[in-house]
């Protein structure tokens, strides 16, 4: 079995789904001849041609709007937005149309659309290239939001997303694109949407993260080896697998949530609300968040101060356990 990084795993998923299903196509800025800014779509243009691997103008709203038309006409477009910071122009198309076509037509029509976008910081890029604002999209009913943290999950989740009958926002943590490799099977397998994954078992505290922050949490666990921590990777933020969270918190009585998005109205706040609704009497300490700050992601020199790191997460774990 080949060991692949996340870019290679996503590329493999696209190759295999396009081979399997002639209605799957890829579109976006530079996704064709150049293979995408991160080379995620490399090799697709030469294999499938310009009618299924479509270079578009620099017009994010137009890319997603066109993809919506294709989707309701029977195709399965996978639209790439080069960076999440450029995705704001797509919100009108996703919120006003893609996400509500099933509802609007009383189930007569649906919109099998995937919008891919690199997500988050960690590579010290320019303004608009390091943003993490999945919460905007989580707030849109009818739109699923997925963020993998490993190459294996990235391939399986993307295949599930392409086959989903409704629109999916698929965020790819760019810090993890080439950070490590793991065994990724060739051929068909899926990771179901809406199902979280328990990475470690624990008794003292529940640690919740997604995307690049899962790796940060794994590094933090090396600093708290004297504690028993249950690490959960959510993988899909909408729909949320809150059962895995609630069951864990009822067992440990304590929780820390880690995300690189700004703190205010970040998804950590929603997770805390659900724990309070369903597991309040199990809590033995206040829940703590380790997050980005309520400012634009700083330019390269200050990025490390903005992002959660292993030391911040380890400190939060010890503070909650010692409460």
């Amino acid at each position: 079995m080949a060991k692949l990084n996340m870019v290679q795993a996503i590329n493999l998923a696209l190759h295999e789904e396009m081979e399997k299903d002639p209605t799957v196509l890829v579109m976006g800025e530079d996704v064709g001849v150049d293979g995408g800014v991160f080379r995620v779509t490399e090799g697709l243009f030469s294999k499938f041609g310009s009618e299924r691997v479509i270079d578009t103008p620099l017009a994010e709203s137009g890319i997603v709007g066109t993809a919506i038309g294709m989707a309701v006409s029977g195709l399965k477009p996978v639209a790439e937005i080069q960076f999440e910071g450029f995705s704001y122009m797509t919100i009108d198309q996703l919120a006003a149309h893609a996400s509500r076509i099933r509802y609007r037509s009383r189930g007569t029509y649906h919109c099998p659309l995937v919008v891919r976008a690199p997500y988050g910081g960690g590579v010290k890029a320019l303004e608009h290239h390091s943003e993490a604002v999945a919460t905007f999209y989580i707030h849109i009913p009818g739109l699923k939001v997925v963020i993998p943290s490993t190459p294996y999950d990235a391939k399986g989740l993307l295949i599930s997303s392409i086959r989903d009958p409704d629109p999916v926002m698929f965020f790819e943590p760019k810090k993890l694109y080439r950070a490590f490799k793991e065994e990724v099977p060739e051929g068909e397998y899926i990771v179901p949407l809406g199902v979280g994954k328990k990475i470690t078992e624990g008794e003292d505290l529940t640690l919740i993260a997604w995307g690049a922050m899962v790796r940060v949490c794994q590094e933090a666990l090396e600093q708290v080896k004297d504690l028993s921590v249950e690490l959960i990777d959510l993988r899909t933020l909408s729909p949320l697998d809150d059962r895995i969270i609630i069951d864990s918190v009822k067992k440990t009585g304590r929780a820390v949530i880690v995300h690189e998005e700004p703190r205010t109205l970040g998804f950590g706040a929603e997770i805390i609300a659900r724990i309070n609704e369903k597991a309040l009497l199990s809590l033995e300490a206040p829940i703590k968040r380790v997050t980005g700050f309520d400012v634009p992601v700083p330019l390269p020199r200050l990025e490390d101060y903005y992002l959660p790191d292993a030391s911040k997460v380890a400190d939060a774990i010890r503070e909650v356990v010692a409460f």
Side-chain angles (χ1 to χ4, degrees):
M1 188 183 303
K3 288 193 172 182
L4 305 180
N5 60 34
M6 187 175 288
V7 166
Q8 294 166 327
I10 294 170
N11 180 271
L12 180 59
L14 292 170
H15 270 278
E16 292 181 356
E17 285 302 284
M18 293 181 74
E19 284 177 343
K20 179 183 178 68
D21 185 347
T23 67
V24 178
L25 59 90
V26 170
M27 59 193 298
E29 299 161 4
D30 298 326
V31 299
V33 176
D34 289 344
V37 67
F38 289 101
R39 302 297 181 261
V40 174
T41 56
E42 195 165 44
L44 297 176
F45 183 84
S46 59
K47 188 172 184 178
F48 298 103
S50 59
E51 291 190 355
R52 295 183 65 195
V53 184
I54 304 168
D55 277 321
T56 67
L58 304 181
E60 287 76 12
S61 179
I63 294 169
V64 174
T66 303
I68 292 171
M70 291 177 170
V72 297
S73 300
L75 299 174
K76 296 178 181 175
V78 180
E80 177 180 304
I81 303 300
Q82 280 195 340
F83 292 90
E84 190 189 10
F86 303 153
S87 71
Y88 303 131
M89 289 73 78
T90 71
I91 290 177
D92 177 57
Q93 297 284 3
L94 293 169
H97 300 293
S99 63
R100 60 181 69 202
I101 284 173
R102 178 182 290 278
Y103 177 83
R104 181 183 292 160
S105 67
R106 302 297 187 265
T108 302
Y109 300 101
H110 58 99
C111 186
L113 162 67
V114 177
V115 179
R116 296 180 37 249
Y119 165 89
V123 298
K124 295 182 167 52
L126 305 174
E127 185 182 11
H128 291 303
H129 290 65
S130 299
E131 303 187 26
V133 288
T135 192
F136 291 170
Y137 301 91
I138 296 166
H139 206 63
I140 300 174
L143 180 67
K144 297 181 176 70
V145 179
V146 176
I147 308 179
S149 68
T150 68
Y152 179 92
D153 281 355
K155 181 186 174 188
L157 287 166
L158 181 56
I159 291 174
S160 291
S161 300
I162 292 171
R163 297 180 184 181
D164 196 274
D166 296 307
V168 178
M169 198 76 193
F170 193 88
F171 288 124
E172 301 162 2
K174 67 176 77 67
K175 184 179 180 180
L176 302 182
Y177 264 157
R178 292 180 171 83
F180 67 100
K181 293 184 176 182
E182 69 176 1
E183 291 186 344
V184 178
E186 290 188 7
E188 180 175 325
Y189 73 89
I190 63 168
V191 175
L193 306 185
V195 179
K197 178 172 66 176
K198 196 180 297 182
I199 296 176
T200 62
E201 297 276 351
E203 301 291 334
D204 295 330
L205 181 137
T206 300
L207 183 60
I208 303 161
W210 54 90
M213 292 300 103
V214 173
R215 294 276 288 180
V216 171
C217 289
Q218 289 175 307
E219 293 168 8
L221 295 186
E222 295 296 314
Q223 301 181 26
V224 294
K225 287 184 175 179
D226 53 317
L227 299 174
S228 175
V229 178
E230 191 149 291
L231 174 58
I232 293 172
D233 175 5
L234 293 180
R235 303 195 292 192
T236 302
L237 302 188
S238 181
L240 174 65
D241 182 4
D242 55 4
R243 173 170 291 184
I244 194 172
I245 297 171
I246 300 305
D247 289 347
S248 179
V249 171
K250 283 184 175 178
K251 179 176 66 173
T252 66
R254 301 175 177 87
V256 171
I257 302 160
V258 182
H259 62 67
E260 61 184 289
E261 307 206 357
R263 171 170 300 235
T264 300
L265 290 179
F267 199 51
E270 173 64 23
I271 294 171
I272 291 172
R274 297 200 190 191
I275 293 172
N276 285 338
E277 290 168 354
K278 299 179 180 178
L280 178 64
L281 298 181
S282 299
L283 289 175
E284 298 182 29
I287 302 167
K288 192 168 182 63
R289 288 175 289 172
V290 183
T291 70
F293 296 90
D294 292 342
V295 298
V297 181
L299 296 179
R301 183 179 297 178
L302 297 176
E303 188 183 48
D304 289 342
Y305 294 98
Y306 176 88
L307 293 172
D309 59 26
S311 294
K312 293 176 185 175
V313 176
D315 288 346
I317 291 171
R318 292 201 179 281
E319 181 181 336
V320 172
V321 170
F323 179 81

